[in-house]
Amino acid sequence: TEDSPTGKHVAVFAFPFATHALALLRLVRRIAEASPATMFSFLSSEKSNLACFSGGRRDDGGTCPNLVAYDVWDGAPEGYVPSGRNPVEPVEIFLRAVPGNFESVLRAAERERGCNITCLLTDAFYWFGADMARERSVPWVPVWTAGPSALIAHMETDSIRQIFGTSGKMLDAIPGLSAMRMTDVPKEILDATTPFPTMLYRMGQVLPQATAVVSNSFEDIDPIVEGELHSKLRKFLDVGPFVLSPPPPLSDEHGCIPWLDKQETASVVYVSFGSMIRPPPHEITAIVNALDKAASPFLWSFRGDAQAELPREFLERRTRGKVVPWAPQLHVLGHRAVGAFVTHCGWNSVLESMIGGVPMVGRPFFGEQSMNARAVEDVWRIGVAVEGGAFTEEATADALERVLAGEEGKRMRERAGALKEMALKAVEPQGSSTRNFKALVEIVTG
Ligand code: U2F
């Protein structure tokens, strides 16, 4: 048991999949450092906490003594082994355990730390945060880690379904979504029968009740979308890109940076599909053939077994290409040698590409990635989506050619450079994200 000198105790509920918990922890550490007299209890699954906190510790090892992690049940029965057939299975099992698993551990954390919570900060997915915070008369502050236009889409799900039902193709009837097409909408919005889409729907319904919604973005990124979010929510706080505050130290065990140092400026194609996605074999083959055709050097962060899944001759062309199981992506995209990023358009990847000033070739897979890809192509014009929605040799080679070569590629690079300046400016001491972060600290700990 410990006492908070101020009686302030913030509970944080993380979503223990993909990069969500780590992104939230990054933000929470900053808040905890800014408010050392406030206690923070970070609740996530055991597996997620083990990945986020080094060495199996449950406190922050001295850097943030006021931050303690607690494990919540992941919903899986004793001895459960994921079938692997359905990647969302562990998520669905987890969602069956909420909110009870959070509720019980929260009470335990309150007892252990001798202080009831004074604020609830959650992954935005957790719609139940609205009720829980209301019952306890504390602010609810949800954190959205994905692209901003999807937030509007989730709040406007009923209207989108109506337009879909009347065979509309464009979403220009919905303020903030004029750049989007019906095909860009996360499929969960149109099919809400399973637990994950149901969660997103409920989230969209309750977000306007939140004290403030926090976003991993920056104010100047898209005035139309931003304006709409400001009008829909009680308070909308862009405090991103999270990854810049502070940037992670370079960890390059596969030697990506020395390899890039040997390449010509803006010549290398970097290929990566985030933390989970593995394109199907025929699309892998299409990428391999397109890279051969482009004859550009490439760096590929490959999920899966590269030796088994990529042709041997391709792997042996070491002077022209490098395949690694993990790359220090922020630093890779910031390297002068990288000329294009082949990406699934996960939000962190899009932001990191902007920060590096690198144009993208987008191949969205699920969730809000299609909306991000549309914005990359049509709003910011810093990349292209692969024609036809999936990698074919021809479509991929065309996209690479457009992004890497000629006037079009050059203009994309210039526009990406302008966005990079905006992102860097936002996190400067006088920048908008810094100002919003201070407002967030006030709300959470005030
Ligand atoms: C989900 O996306 P992912 O987590 O799969 O993908 P990103 O948002 O692009 O984040 C991947 C992160 O992993 C890092 C990379 C990004 O910060 O720098 N990384 C790396 O360092 N090295 C590698 O070799 C490969 C990746 C979801 F699928 C999306 O739709 C959402 O937009 C996203 C955010 O909520 O979460």
Side-chain angles (χ1 to χ4, degrees), residues 48-67:
S48 152
N49 277 336
L50 280 172
C52 290
F53 292 83
S54 57
R57 293 185 68 110
R58 283 296 181 272
D59 58 41
D60 230 16
T63 52
C64 274
N66 48 338
L67 170 63

Side-chain angles (χ1 to χ4, degrees), residues 289-307:
N289 293 341
L291 287 172
D292 274 344
K293 201 165 167 182
S296 310
F298 60 87
L299 174 64
W300 193 335
S301 170
F302 196 87
R303 300 284 80 66
D305 183 352
Q307 298 299 326

Side-chain angles (χ1 to χ4, degrees), residues 195-253:
F196 193 72
T198 306
M199 173 189 78
L200 292 169
Y201 181 75
R202 289 170 157 176
M203 170 193 82
Q205 301 294 299
V206 298
L207 280 178
Q209 299 170 22
T211 309
V213 176
V214 180
S215 165
N216 182 10
S217 203
F218 50 96
E219 281 183 357
D220 293 333
I221 198 168
D222 185 336
I224 294 174
V225 168
E226 293 291 309
E228 190 54 25
L229 286 166
H230 279 287
S231 81
K232 277 193 149 52
L233 297 164
R234 281 169 66 191
K235 205 172 197 49
F236 180 64
L237 293 172
D238 277 310
V239 300
F242 292 176
V243 74
L244 291 179
S245 310
L250 173 64
S251 144
D252 185 21
E253 56 178 310

Side-chain angles (χ1 to χ4, degrees), residues 314-335:
F314 183 78
L315 282 169
E316 280 166 1
R317 269 170 239 156
R318 291 193 195 281
T319 47
R320 203 164 71 69
K322 188 170 172 68
V323 179
V324 294
W326 192 256
Q329 182 165 303
L330 181 73
H331 299 87
V332 165
L333 288 166
H335 196 287

Side-chain angles (χ1 to χ4, degrees), residues 329-354:
Q329 182 165 303
L330 181 73
H331 299 87
V332 165
L333 288 166
H335 196 287
R336 51 137 200 101
V338 175
F341 179 19
V342 178
T343 170
H344 67 312
C345 295
W347 185 242
N348 295 294
S349 292
V350 171
L351 282 176
E352 290 162 18
S353 210
M354 280 181 184

